[in-house]
Amino acid sequence: MTHPSTEFLELQGALAGEYSLERELGRGGMGVVYLAREVQLDRDVAIKVLPAHLANNASARERFVREARTAAGLSHPNIVPIHRVGEAGGGSFVFFVMSFVDGETLGERLRRQGALAPVEATRVLREVAWAL
């Protein structure tokens, strides 16, 4: 059994009453994404949080919030909707909340089954192009 990280527990404390964190979904250079339950609306959401080492960097915070605003201004079936952008824990956490889409990523699919068939690759690229 693994224990939640300090970061996870601190974020859960900062978001208590609004969101209940369940688990980490993934991480990259500009964020950690968690599966959470939105308490008031009783629905699953994904919360992307700016990593702690970047939270005090003004330009990183600005880029992160700009990413959320840009995505929130888009409306398309192939783009995940953004519900909220905010700060918690006295500014220690900068985050945005988006719809949770259950399923595997393209990377997971490729690792599991290898290259896509040309017809499937064309379909995926067409859907991405429509979103862009």
Side-chain angles (χ1 to χ4, degrees):
M1 179 175 157
T2 61
H3 296 284
S5 69
T6 301
E7 174 185 50
F8 181 96
L9 295 173
E10 289 174 357
L11 179 60
Q12 177 60 73
L15 297 176
E18 294 181 78
Y19 302 97
S20 176
L21 296 185
E22 294 186 17
R23 63 184 164 89
E24 183 178 311
L25 294 172
R27 62 177 54 229
M30 281 298 288
V32 180
V33 180
Y34 296 97
L35 172 61
R37 191 83 184 155
E38 188 172 16
V39 174
Q40 288 292 321
L41 297 176
D42 193 29
R43 65 177 174 183
D44 286 337
V45 294
I47 300 178
K48 184 173 184 179
V49 182
L50 188 64
H53 70 278
L54 295 175
N56 293 326
N57 180 311
S59 70
R61 288 171 80 96
E62 183 180 316
R63 274 194 319 272
F64 188 81
V65 171
R66 188 171 48 241
E67 175 189 345
R69 284 188 183 133
T70 299
L74 304 173
S75 177
H76 189 277
N78 296 343
I79 297 175
V80 176
I82 303 293
H83 302 300
R84 173 183 175 201
V85 63
E87 294 184 9
S92 297
F93 298 103
V94 181
F95 65 93
F96 59 87
V97 179
M98 59 194 128
S99 295
F100 170 66
V101 179
D102 195 12
E104 69 182 345
T105 67
L106 179 57
E108 290 166 344
R109 161 57 177 81
L110 292 172
R111 283 187 290 280
R112 184 175 51 79
Q113 289 187 322
L116 298 174
V119 170
E120 183 70 3
T122 300
R123 182 191 64 76
V124 169
L125 289 172
R126 184 177 33 247
E127 289 182 13
V128 170
W130 284 336
L132 295 174

